[in-house]
Structures are given as structure tokens and as C-alpha cells.
């Protein structure tokens, strides 16, 4: 049995997704080796993209990243705003060095109101092309990645921070999705801690 | 044999040096670990402020990409000053060579290298870095930083529980939660201002970048930045910590994404002696900042010319989020310019205080200047306002500041005072300008008027200060700070009744403020209401038992109202709290002396002198104590010290005169007293003593003139009139003497001195009847008064009129006087001889007269001896003496 991620119900859209990621220029078109897996906090394999009501947001994070941590309240706020519109949030712990216990502690400490997965083998990292934390990737129900990049423009560079963001990229994308406005897939550069 | 040419050839050697950092076999163990251990691990280790550890090869390899970027951007390790222009201690900046090594190592795939090359890992002291502190204080309550939002500035107020004055060598802050704290500064407050701010706001401490009226203690910066090890400090410049001082700790914190609690502890390390020198903090600041919206390079300046030579120890530049480039330099008297600090790319988040590796010497006349550039455009991502708005001076993070604090040492304490006065003038003048401009926009700003009042008071213009404070409380009747300051400046201007009214008004708003009760007590004391004063002071002490000011004033009021024993007890408490409280030591001495503990009093004065050898009061009191203890010789030395430190102190000159008179140096005594009289032309007591000393020197007419001035000033003083009468008598003006004494008698009809002197004057005026009356009145009150015994005996023995003569009584009186003086006073023996002769006992009369002549001669009183010789001739012939 292969990992759950291959048993996706939207096989038909696989090609489209590949095109999308190729357009983004960051995708990894090669099939995942069988032994790699994404696991939930109990260690069970899980595919966050297996079922997407309206959109799925992957939020890449690492417990040791202060920039990612500072976004916990903002992510929580966005979850509160969009969860009832069928937007599903997943926290993706991307540092293989963080074991299940460390991740569970962090998840509880920041009171994230949605589920988390560990991506020790960088399955999702490679699929999305995420390089830092915090970085988000938004998928549609067909598994197409519509957006990957920063949450907002609060962090301009290391040590250069706006007091408040002037552009809320993630919120704008989700807003368009839930209001059925057409969107073009795009990426932005996220500022944060490189995923080890 | 190994490549001798390479080693010996200078060119090859030079090439080897420059290529070392660029070689491509860079390894972690040999090249990278030393950099990481020295520059990163101080924060990047468990329990410290950085988010992850950098202690092993694996730690560093995994984050190599990040490390490469943040070091290349010089975001890490954080260090703002340009290293090319100033030489600071503890530089954290990486050299270009080190950056190259890191870049090469990453480019080469982060090789680990030979384990033998790995330096030993750095060792850290756990807990307090400077050892076990002498005093540890912890914030009374934990503060919670919210999960989200902008930077948080919180000021925690922590009373410092010292029971006596201490001197602080070093301070170490343990934030308790280093991940949250970005930066912290500490100041001290002895005015209660931060306590009031704390009380006024819910939760621990108070918000904002303002720190009330607190100050850096005795010119010390107390700062904390992540990774900066506390400095061990220096005993010789330790700062003074008095009981009743509050510490205010300003924490600049960043939300972390979850609520964080923080409860910092602070350790104090004491010096074992008072400091030899005190640093001073010079502040350059421009509060008239006005940056137009959109300005990309707005320049703000300020300057200060040094009145004395200084050594700059440290520097603390400060601006907020619009700051772009900060420059500070000094222009020498000769025109040459020297950098103090240059921060090419200011970042508020990494503000710090920098200590020079070697103190920077700046001469008197050098002008220190700041030139700060601000970016208020939308292009400045840190701009708190979008779109940009006009920005002016203020404490909020959306306002701006332009400040440069310089920690300096002066050569002498006098230089420090000169510098402090110049700095205060500059600061106060700046404050007034700022407040006046603020009033243009907000004419009813009570705070602006309060600022003006405070500044005017500092500038020594109490009238202007009073007017400004009055306006402030008109605008805001419940403005307690303004009421307190108004009360205090009224008190300083001797307008105590108004001060009392104002302070009572302040109490209606803050009935439990110990300072207000204490100040009210002082004002009540000043208007001669000691009982109410003490009630107020005791009220203050109920609220704050160790309030030094209240204790001192209570003790002094007790002393002034004659309750010496209670005064001693209270003043001893002041000394226990603050051993070098000079005024308390002096008043303690006075109270001890009044309680009959002269030796302890002298000790108190000596301690006061030890702490403040340049203050006249200790020397003056010690001299008086010594004089009272019958030691005029040492008293002379003390009074000489007193007039040396304060040549204008009239009473000290006068007391010097008294002490000299007691050591028999009449001429020097008169010189000292004349100086005193010149300095205090209206001081009756000084003129009286001068007159007495002139009398003792037989300079009767000068004495008379001087004493006349004393009597003019104090017409009701009986003793002065008596001395004036003696002077008049000695100048031969018996009528004037008689009139003066009659006037004295009108003031006090029973005074022994006056009756005795009148007896003498009347006798000389040939009015024996009146003379006898006065002598008898004097002897009724003082039967052993020698001059009266003698004077009366003489008339009764020698009067030419029979009706006044009474030889038996004369003999009894003379005999009594002679016994009292042990037959050793020539004038009394002369009188005894006359009385014996009047009784017909010529043999014993001759005997007594011969003895009188001998002792008169021996005492050098030739004229008296000669007179006695002529009377002796009569006695030998069996004839008594008769006045003509």
C-alpha cells in the first residue's frame, strides 16, 4: 500500500496541478518515493489535500522561528474568518528535527484552532516549493495551488518590519475564493526562517 | 627544509596572509566554530533570547543558509555603529574577513573538517553573571504581553529596599523571559513620580516610552540588550542609592504570537565605599522636531559647548522609527572635528548604549553636535503612519525623538557642578521652547505650563515658575504634580502660607501621598507652627516610615522646640538610613549637646565634617562644641576651618574671635570680630561681643561706639546696655553711663548687673546714698557679688560723710569679699585695709595694705600699688582713709 497521499480522489486533476506548479516554476513534477509520508500529530499518515471543500491553506511553520510564531494570532484570525466558508487550514511543521512531542507542545502553546501535520520528509515542502516559515500555500478542491508565499507584507526583510501590513496577500486570495472571484495563480516572496 | 623560501620571502608571506581567508578548504571545526562561539552563541544557547541554539556543527549546518544571509546583511550579529569612526568596547560586528569565511564555507557545502581543529565549546556562567548579588529585587507582579500587536513599552516600578545609603557598583537584569524583551533601560526616581504613574494605571507599571521624572543614577546608564553581558562596574564611580528610591524598569517587548508573562529580577552589587568621582550624563536633545509628512531626509540638530574638560565613557543615541542616519561629533576649540558615533543605518530595535574602549577626552570649549536624519516617507517601511503624517517630538512610538546621552567624567566635583549647571540651563531652556511651541497649538495645555514651571524653577526664576504652575492648576485643578511643585516653589520663595494652602489642596486629591504631607510639614514649620508641622510630618511617616525628609524635619523641629531627647532618637534614625546626611548629623550634634551629651555631639559634628569637609556648618558647630567644652584652643582651629571654607560666614568669624579671646589673644580676637561685624553690620550679638572684647582691651571709645550699634539693634537687651554703660564710664562719661543704666533698669528693675553698675557709677558721681541703695539691691539677689561687696564696703568705710559710714558692716563685707578671693585680689585687700582702718585696727590695716600693694605689684598693676602705698602711709600714722 502506498501512502495516503497517492489515494487522492482528484486524480483527474493531477495534470492540471502539474501545469500550475510548472507555471509557478517551483514545483516538483517527479512522483514521491513510496516511503515518504506526511503524518498527523499522532504519527498516522495523512493527506491534507485529500479533501478540500473550497480551499485548503497549508501554513508552514517551525517552532523555533520567531517570525512564524508572531503570525499565530493572524493565522488564527484568518481561520476564524474563513473556516465557515469552507476554507480548511493545516499547520505544517517542516523541520525534521522537531519530534512529535515538540510539535504537540508548540501547537498547544499557540492555541492553533486547526489541525497540524508534520512533514519531516518535506513532501509538502517540495510539492509547494515553500522555502521559509511562515509561508502559506493555497489549494483549490482540484489540488491546484493558487497561491504560495507570504501571509502579508509586515516583514520586509530581516530587521525591517512594518508596524502594520499594507498588503494582506493571503486574506485577499481567500476573499476572492469565497466570493468566487476569478484569481490567477501566483507566488510572492516570504520573509522568515529557512526551512532546515 | 620545508619551503624555507616561502617563509623568508616577505612578498610570499604577505600573499599568504591575504589569501588565508579566501582559501577554499574552509571547515566548520577550524574556521567557523570560533566565529560562532565568539559572536553568536552568547544569545543562541538554551535559556537565552535567541530562538535556537548555535552550539554544534549540526546546529550551524542546518541553518547555514539563514546564517549566510543574515550575516551578509549584517542583521546578525546586531551592531549599529560604524566601526571606522569610533572604538567601542564589546563590538559584536563581524569583520569582512569573517563574513567571507562564512560565505565560502556555505558555498563549499558546509564541510565539518578535522575534529581536532574544533575549539573547546564556550563556557557560560549559570544564573547571575556577576556572582551572587548583594541585593535582589523582583517585579512585584508579572506583566503579560499580548499575543499580537505592535511593540509593547512597559515601565515596572520596583521600590528598592535598602535600610541605609548604599553605593552601587553594578546592576544585572534578568528579564525572566528573554525571548520577549528586546531592550530594557533602568532609571531611579526619588520624587515619587513613577509611583504615581504606576498607581494611575491598572495592571503592573505604566505604559509608554516616558519614564516620569526618573533619572539615570549619578550619571550611569543602566541598560540591557540581548546578549550583552553585564559590566562588573567600578567601585570608584559607584552610584548612590538612598533609602526610599524607586527603580523604574522600561521593557521594550515584542509580542511573540502567544501571551507571554514576564517578571524580571534585578541584582545589585555594592561597592564597599563611597565613590571618588561621579560621572555625569550630558543630554543633547532637540524637542522642536517637526518632520513634514513624506520627507525622506529631514535633518535635526542640537549642540552643546563643554564648559569643562571631560572624558567620555559611553554614549547612548536615541531616535524612534523614522531615524535613518545618526551622527554625533565634536568640534574642538581649534576647529578640528572628531567623531563620537556614526550609525549609518539606524534601527530602533537594536538601540544600545556604547562604551568607549578608551575614554574619549574632550576639552573645555569643544562643541558636541548631533545631526540626525529622518525618513518620514512611505518608503520607510518602519514608518508607523500610513500614509505618513507630520511628526513631532514625543514619547510615543509614533512620535520622534533626537537624543544623545553622553556619560562623562570630570576632573573634579566642582567641574561636575559647572557642567551640570550648564546642562540644566540648556535642558530647561529647551523645555520652555518646546512647551511654548506646544501652547501655540494647544493654548490650554496644563502639562505645557507645568513643564514651563519646572524649567523656570530650575533656571532660578521662581516668580515665573509660580505663574506657570498657577496657570497649570487653573487649567486643571486636580493636577497634583503641578500643585506639589507650586507648593514647593512657593515654600522656596518664603511664601509659606500660600504653600500651605496649595499643598492642602494637593492633599484633597491625594490624601495618602507621603511627600505632600512632608512638604506641608516643612511649610508649617517655616511659619512657626511647629506642632502642626510635626503632626504633618508624623502623618507622612505613618504612610512611609523611612521617609528620610520627613524624619529629618521632624527631628529638627523637635530640636528647635527643645525636645532634645526625642530629637536625638529621630535624627539617629535618619543617620541609620542615610549615614552621610550632613544636616541631620549637625542637628543631631546640637540635640546631643542640649541633652548634656557633649562628647557624642562632638562626634556627630566630626562625622559631618568627614562627609562634607567643604561645608561650614560642621566646622562651626564643632568649634562651638569645643568652646562649650572648655577647649578654646581646638575651637580656634575649627573656626579657622569654618572661615576658610566660607569666608563670608559672619558668625564663624565672630566665634573665632570668641575662641581667640578665651585663649587670651585679644588683638586677633578683635580682628576676627571686626571682620564679622563688617560682614554682618546689623548683627547685634556680633557687635556686642566685639564691644566686650574691645572693653577687655581697654579700647573704651571704640567699645562704646560698637556697643551703641548693638543697643540700637536690640534696645531691650539689658546686658548690652550694661556693657555700653561700662564703656561710657571708662571714657569718663558718667552721665551717659547713668542714663544707659537707668534705661536698663526700666527694662528689668531687679537686674543684679544693672544695680551693681549703677552703684559704681553713682559712687563715682559722688552720690554715695544712691550708690549704697543700688549695691544693696544687687547684694540682695547675689550676696557674694564681689564688685558690690567691695564697692559697698568702700563707701561704708571711707565716706567723707558720717551718715553713710558704717565701719562694722564695711569690715564684714570686705572680710567676706577677701575670703571669697582668698586674700589674693589687690583691690579687695585694699578695701579690707580701709575697713580695718575705719574700725581703728591699724596694725591689721597696715598688714592688709602691705599685702595688697605686693600682690598689685606682682600682677603688674603699678598705679594701684602706688595708690595703696599712699594709703599705707596714713594707716601707719593711725589715720583711716577718707574719700575727699
Amino acid at each position: 500500500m502506498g501512502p495516503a497521499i497517492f489515494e487522492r480522489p482528484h486524480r483527474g486533476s493531477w495534470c492540471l496541478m502539474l501545469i500550475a506548479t510548472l507555471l509557478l516554476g517551483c514545483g516538483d513534477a517527479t512522483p514521491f518515493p513510496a516511503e515518504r509520508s506526511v503524518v498527523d500529530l499522532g504519527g498516522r499518515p495523512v493527506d491534507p489535500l485529500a479533501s478540500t471543500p473550497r480551499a485548503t491553506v497549508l501554513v508552514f511553520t517551525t517552532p523555533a522561528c520567531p517570525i512564524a510564531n508572531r503570525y499565530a494570532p493572524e493565522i488564527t484570525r484568518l481561520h476564524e474568518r474563513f473556516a465557515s466558508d469552507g476554507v480548511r487550514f493545516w499547520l505544517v511543521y517542516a523541520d525534521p528535527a522537531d519530534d512529535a512531542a515538540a510539535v504537540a507542545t508548540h501547537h498547544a502553546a499557540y492555541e492553533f484552532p486547526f489541525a497540524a501535520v508534520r512533514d519531516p520528509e518535506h513532501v509538502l515542502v517540495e510539492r509547494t516549493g515553500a522555502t521559509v516559515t511562515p509561508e502559506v500555500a493555497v489549494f483549490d478542491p482540484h489540488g491546484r495551488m493558487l497561491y504560495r508565499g507570504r501571509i502579508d507584507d509586515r516583514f520586509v526583510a530581516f530587521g525591517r518590519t512594518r508596524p502594520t501590513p499594507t498588503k494582506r496577500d493571503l486574506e485577499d486570495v481567500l476573499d476572492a475564493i469565497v466570493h468566487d472571484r476569478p484569481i490567477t495563480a501566483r507566488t510572492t516572496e516570504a520573509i522568515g526562517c529557512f526551512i532546515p | 627544509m620545508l619551503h624555507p623560501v616561502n617563509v623568508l620571502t616577505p612578498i610570499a608571506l604577505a600573499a599568504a596572509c591575504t589569501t588565508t581567508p579566501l582559501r577554499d578548504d574552509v571547515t566548520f571545526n577550524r574556521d567557523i566554530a570560533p566565529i560562532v562561539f565568539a559572536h553568536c552563541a552568547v544569545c543562541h544557547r538554551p535559556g537565552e533570547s535567541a530562538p535556537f541554539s548555535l552550539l554544534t556543527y549540526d546546529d550551524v549546518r542546518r541553518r547555514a543558509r539563514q546564517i549566510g544571509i543574515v550575516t551578509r546583511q549584517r542583521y546578525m550579529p546586531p551592531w549599529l555603529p560604524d566601526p571606522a569612526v569610533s572604538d567601542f568596547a564589546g563590538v559584536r560586528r563581524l569583520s569582512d574577513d569573517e563574513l567571507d569565511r562564512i560565505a565560502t564555507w556555505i558555498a563549499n557545502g558546509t564541510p565539518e573538517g578535522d575534529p581536532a581543529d574544533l575549539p573547546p565549546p564556550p563556557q557560560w556562567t549559570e544564573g547571575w553573571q556577576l556572582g551572587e548579588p548583594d541585593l535582589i529585587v523582583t517585579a512585584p507582579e508579572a506583566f503579560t504581553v499580548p499575543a499580537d500587536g505592535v511593540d509593547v513599552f512597559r515601565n515596572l516600578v520596583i521600590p528598592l529596599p535598602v535600610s541605609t545609603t548604599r553605593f552601587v557598583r553594578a546592576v544585572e537584569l534578568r528579564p525572566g523571559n528573554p525571548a520577549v524583551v528586546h531592550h530594557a533601560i533602568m532609571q531611579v526616581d526619588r520624587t515619587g513620580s513613577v509611583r504615581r504613574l504606576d498607581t494611575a494605571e491598572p495592571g503592573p507599571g505604566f505604559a509608554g516610552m516616558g519614564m516620569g521624572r526618573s533619572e539615570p543614577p549619578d550619571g550611569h546608564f543602566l541598560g540591557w540588550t540581548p546578549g550583552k553581558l553585564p559590566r562588573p562596574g567600578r567601585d570608584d564611580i559607584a552610584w548612590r542609592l538612598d533609602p526610599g528610591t524607586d527603580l523604574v524598569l522600561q521593557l521594550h517587548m515584542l509580542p511573540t504570537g502567544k501571551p507571554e508573562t514576564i517578571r524580571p529580577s534585578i541584582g545589585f552589587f555594592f561597592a564597599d565605599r563611597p565613590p571618588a568621582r561621579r560621572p555625569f550624563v550630558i543630554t543633547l536633545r532637540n524637542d522642536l522636531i517637526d518632520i513634514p509628512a513624506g520627507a525622506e531626509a529631514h535633518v535635526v540638530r542640537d549642540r552643546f559647548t563643554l564648559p569643562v574638560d571631560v572624558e567620555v565613557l559611553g554614549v547612548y543615541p536615541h531616535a524612534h522609527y523614522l531615524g535613518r542616519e545618526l551622527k554625533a561629533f565634536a568640534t574642538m576649540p581649534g576647529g578640528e572635528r572628531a567623531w563620537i558615533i556614526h550609525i549609518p543605518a539606524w534601527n530602533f530595535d537594536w538601540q544600545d548604549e556604547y562604551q568607549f574602549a578608551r575614554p574619549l577626552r574632550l576639552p573645555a570649549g569643544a562643541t558636541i553636535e548631533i545631526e540626525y536624519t529622518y525618513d518620514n516617507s512611505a518608503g520607510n517601511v518602519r514608518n508607523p503612519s500610513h500614509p505618513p503624517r507630520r511628526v513631532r517630538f514625543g514619547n510615543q512610538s509614533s512620535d520622534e525623538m533626537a537624543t544623545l546621552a553622553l556619560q562623562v567624567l570630570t576632573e573634579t566635583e566642582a567641574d561636575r557642578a559647572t557642567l551640570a549647571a550648564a546642562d540644566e540651563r540648556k535642558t530647561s531652556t529647551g523645555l520652555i521652547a518646546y512647551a511654548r511651541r506646544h501652547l501655540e497649538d494647544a493654548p490650554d495645555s496644563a502639562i505645557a505650563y507645568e513643564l514651563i514651571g519646572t524649567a523656570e524653577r530650575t533656571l532660578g526664576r521662581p516668580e515665573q515658575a509660580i505663574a506657570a504652575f498657577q496657570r497649570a492648576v487653573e487649567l486643571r485643578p486636580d493636577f497634583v504634580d503641578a500643585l506639589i511643585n507650586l507648593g514647593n516653589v512657593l515654600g522656596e520663595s518664603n511664601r509659606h502660607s500660600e504653600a500651605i494652602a496649595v499643598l492642602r489642596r494637593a492633599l484633597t486629591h491625594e490624601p495618602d501621598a507621603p511627600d505632600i504631607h512632608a512638604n506641608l510639614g516643612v511649610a508649617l514649620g517655616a511659619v512657626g507652627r511647629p506642632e502642626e508641622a510635626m503632626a504633618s510630618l508624623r502623618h507622612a511617616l505613618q504612610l512611609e516610615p523611612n521617609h528620610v525628609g520627613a524624619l529629618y524635619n521632624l527631628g529638627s523641629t523637635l530640636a528647635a522646640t527643645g525636645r532634645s531627647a526625642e530629637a536625638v532618637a529621630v535624627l539617629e534614625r535618619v543617620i541609620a538610613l542615610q549615614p552621610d546626611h550632613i544636616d541631620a548629623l549637625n542637628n543631631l550634634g546640637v540635640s546631643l549637646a542640649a541633652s548634656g551629651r557633649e562628647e557624642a555631639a562632638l562626634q556627630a559634628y566630626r562625622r559631618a565634617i568627614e562627609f562634607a569637609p567643604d561645608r561650614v556648618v560642621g566646622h562651626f558647630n564643632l568649634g562651638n562644641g569645643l568652646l562649650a567644652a572648655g577647649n578654646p584652643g581646638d575651637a580656634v582651629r575649627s573656626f579657622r576651618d569654618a572661615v576658610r571654607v566660607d569666608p563670608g560666614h559672619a558668625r564663624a568669624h565672630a566665634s573665632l574671635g570668641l575662641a581667640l579671646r578665651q585663649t587670651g589673644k585679644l588683638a586677633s580676637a578683635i580682628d576676627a570680630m571686626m571682620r564679622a561685624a563688617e560682614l554682618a553690620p546689623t548683627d547685634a550679638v556680633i557687635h556686642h561681643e566685639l564691644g566686650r572684647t574691645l572693653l577687655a582691651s581697654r579700647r573704651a571709645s571704640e567699645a562704646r561706639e560698637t556697643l551703641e550699634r548693638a543697643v540700637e539693634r536690640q534696645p531691650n537687651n539689658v546686658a548690652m546696655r550694661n556693657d555700653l554703660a561700662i564703656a561710657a564710664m571708662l571714657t569718663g562719661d558718667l552721665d551717659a553711663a547713668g542714663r544707659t543704666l537707668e534705661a536698663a533698669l526700666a527694662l528689668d528693675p531687679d537686674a543684679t548687673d544693672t544695680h551693681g553698675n549703677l552703684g559704681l557709677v553713682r559712687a563715682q558721681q559722688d552720690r554715695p546714698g544712691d550708690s549704697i541703695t543700688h549695691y544693696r539691691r544687687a547684694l540682695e539677689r547675689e550676696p557674694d557679688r564681689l564688685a558690690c561687696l567691695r564697692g559697698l564696703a568702700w563707701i561704708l568705710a571711707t565716706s567723707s560723710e558720717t551718715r553713710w559710714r558704717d565701719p562694722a558692716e564695711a569690715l564684714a563685707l570686705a572680710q567676706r569679699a577677701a575670703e571669697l578671693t582668698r586674700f589674693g585680689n589687690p583691690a579687695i585687700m585694699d578695701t579690707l585695709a580701709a575697713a580695718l582702718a575705719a574700725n581703728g585696727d591699724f596694725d591689721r590695716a597696715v598688714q592688709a595694705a602691705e599685702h595688697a600693694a605686693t600682690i598689685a605689684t606682682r600682677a603688674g598693676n603699678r598705679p594701684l600699688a602706688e595708690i595703696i602705698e599712699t594709703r599705707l602711709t596714713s594707716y601707719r600714722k593711725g589715720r583711716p582713709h577718707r574719700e575727699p
Side-chain angles (χ1 to χ4, degrees), chain B residues 638-870:
Chain B
S638 285
F639 290 128
R640 285 209 194 282
D641 287 339
V643 300
R644 180 177 45 76
V645 301
D646 186 0
H649 196 293
R651 285 285 171 104
H653 284 284
S655 296
L656 172 60
L658 280 181
L660 285 164
R661 189 169 82 197
Q662 289 192 22
T663 57
K665 292 180 178 131
L666 288 181
S668 310
I670 289 168
D671 287 346
M673 289 179 171
M674 281 186 163
R675 180 86 195 101
E678 257 171 55
L679 289 165
T682 60
D683 188 321
V685 175
I686 288 175
H687 285 82
H688 185 199
E689 289 302 336
L690 173 59
R692 283 164 53 95
T693 315
L694 287 164
L695 271 180
S697 302
R698 313 264 160 212
R699 289 160 66 175
S701 54
E702 288 166 88
R704 189 175 169 190
E705 216 174 283
T706 305
L707 289 164
E708 267 164 2
R709 291 182 61 187
V711 169
E712 258 168 49
R713 290 282 153 196
Q714 280 191 19
N716 294 335
N717 188 313
V718 172
M720 282 180 196
R721 284 188 187 271
N722 271 282
D723 287 327
L724 174 58
I726 292 167
M729 198 162 37
L730 288 177
T731 56
D733 192 345
L734 292 172
D735 290 344
R739 278 194 307 276
T740 303
L741 291 167
E742 291 292 353
L745 215 50
L747 293 165
D748 180 0
D750 296 323
T752 312
D753 285 348
T754 317
H755 284 296
N757 285 328
L758 257 177
L760 186 62
V761 169
R762 295 302 180 227
Q764 290 189 33
Q765 285 174 319
D766 208 11
R767 290 163 60 181
D770 293 338
S771 178
I772 288 167
T773 308
H774 287 297
Y775 278 140
R776 286 201 193 286
R777 284 288 300 280
L779 287 168
E780 269 166 33
R781 295 190 67 184
E782 276 185 53
D784 289 343
R785 187 68 175 247
L786 289 174
C788 299
L789 287 168
R790 180 192 162 272
L792 183 55
W794 188 261
I795 293 169
L796 295 177
T798 67
S799 178
S800 53
E801 290 179 67
T802 323
R803 59 178 169 148
W804 303 123
R805 275 210 306 278
D806 185 341
E809 194 191 351
L811 184 56
L813 293 167
Q815 190 78 35
R816 173 88 191 117
E819 277 162 16
L820 287 169
T821 52
R822 295 183 183 175
F823 304 95
N825 179 312
I828 286 170
M829 290 311 293
D830 179 29
T831 306
L832 179 59
L836 286 163
N839 282 289
D841 189 346
F842 290 105
D843 287 350
R844 288 174 63 203
V846 168
Q847 233 178 0
E850 278 174 345
H851 181 57
T854 310
I855 56 179
T857 310
R858 203 184 295 150
N861 195 345
R862 230 10 258 166
L864 179 61
E866 274 164 25
I867 291 167
I868 295 169
E869 301 280 353
T870 56

Side-chain angles (χ1 to χ4, degrees), chain B residues 228-555:
Chain B
K228 190 153 140 183
L229 296 174
R231 282 195 297 273
R234 282 166 52 176
D235 277 10
D236 66 329
I237 57 170
W239 56 270
R240 180 191 184 93
L241 170 56
D242 282 321
T245 302
D246 295 326
L247 182 84
V248 54
L249 163 64
Q250 183 177 92
L251 299 166
H252 168 201
M253 295 169 287
L254 293 179
T256 64
K258 65 180 169 64
E260 300 274 1
T261 58
I262 175 162
R263 195 174 173 196
S265 293
I266 299 127
F268 291 80
F269 300 84
F270 296 142
D272 48 17
R273 59 182 188 278
R277 287 202 285 178
R278 296 187 298 151
F280 183 77
V281 172
I282 301 172
T283 309
L284 276 83
R285 56 189 290 168
N286 187 330
D287 296 351
L288 299 177
I289 298 177
D290 191 346
I291 312 172
E296 275 176 25
H298 180 85
V299 177
V300 172
R301 299 170 205 276
D302 189 35
R303 54 164 60 204
F304 177 70
T305 300
L306 290 169
V308 295
D309 295 354
V310 299
E311 279 179 28
V312 186
L313 303 181
V315 55
Y316 184 179
H318 183 75
H320 294 173
Y321 294 103
L322 302 185
R324 199 170 97 174
E325 181 177 14
L326 274 49
K327 291 181 190 171
F329 45 85
T331 307
M332 304 302 170
E336 177 198 340
R337 291 219 311 192
W339 278 105
I340 293 171
I341 191 168
H342 179 208
I343 295 182
W346 169 251
N347 183 344
F348 176 85
D349 287 342
W350 293 114
Q351 65 177 299
D352 205 347
E353 152 246 325
Y354 305 96
Q355 294 280 313
F356 285 95
R358 277 175 308 282
L360 182 68
R361 290 177 176 278
L362 295 177
T367 297
I368 300 164
E369 267 174 273
I370 57 171
E371 185 185 301
Y372 290 4
T373 307
Y374 295 82
D375 182 354
N376 192 15
S377 69
N380 175 3
V381 299
R382 298 191 186 105
N383 198 330
S385 305
H386 274 282
R389 60 168 185 88
R390 177 188 184 187
V391 170
R392 293 197 278 181
F393 169 84
N395 272 334
Q396 301 306 308
S397 48
S398 54
D399 304 322
E400 261 309 332
M401 285 181 80
T403 312
L404 179 82
L406 289 162
Q407 186 192 29
V408 303
L409 271 177
T410 54
E411 248 162 62
T412 62
E413 190 69 11
D415 276 4
R416 187 186 191 273
T418 307
L419 179 62
D423 178 79
E424 266 190 351
R425 265 196 311 280
K426 179 184 178 300
T427 306
S428 300
T429 312
L431 271 181
I432 292 172
Y434 165 70
R436 293 217 184 285
R437 204 193 59 185
H438 185 70
L439 285 171
E440 286 168 17
D441 300 331
D444 290 339
S445 166
I447 288 174
Y449 280 108
E450 206 266 347
L451 269 182
I452 292 172
T454 308
E456 293 285 11
R457 185 182 174 198
T458 309
L459 288 171
R461 299 195 292 236
E463 293 311 311
Q464 283 93 325
I466 289 169
F469 286 133
Q470 279 170 339
R471 186 85 185 100
V473 299
E474 258 169 47
L475 291 163
R476 230 175 82 188
D478 63 346
F479 195 169
V480 175
D481 277 356
L483 283 168
I484 294 173
N485 283 324
L486 176 58
N488 292 346
V489 70
L490 283 167
E492 285 159 16
S493 310
N494 288 321
R495 289 162 65 174
H496 297 292
S497 309
E498 291 164 83
I500 291 166
V502 167
L503 291 170
R504 290 227 155 104
R505 223 177 110 190
L507 278 178
T508 60
H509 300 293
E510 277 188 30
D512 291 334
D515 284 341
I516 308 180
H517 286 284
N519 290 343
L520 177 60
V522 174
L524 286 163
V527 293
R529 287 153 69 179
E531 296 309 318
E532 289 164 85
M534 288 192 285
S536 260
L537 293 166
R538 290 202 159 101
H539 196 144
L541 289 167
Q542 269 167 20
L543 297 162
E544 194 183 321
N546 287 338
H547 194 292
V548 170
L551 278 171
Y552 164 71
N553 281 295
L554 176 60

Side-chain angles (χ1 to χ4, degrees), chain A residues 64 66 69-70 72-74 95 97 109-110 131 154 156 158-163 166 192-194 196, chain B residues 51-52 62-63 65-66 69-70 73 75 147-150 254-258 347 381-384 386:
Chain A
N69 288 338
R70 275 199 85 174
E74 175 67 2
D95 186 345
Y110 287 83
T131 53
R154 190 148 41 134
V156 179
F158 293 116
R160 276 158 62 83
T161 316
R162 298 181 202 279
T166 59
C193 312
F194 285 102
Chain B
F52 46 82
R62 282 161 32 77
R63 301 186 190 277
R65 188 173 172 195
Q66 184 101 23
I69 290 174
V70 298
Q73 293 179 350
Y75 173 59
D148 199 12
V150 293
L254 293 179
T256 64
K258 65 180 169 64
N347 183 344
V381 299
R382 298 191 186 105
N383 198 330
H386 274 282

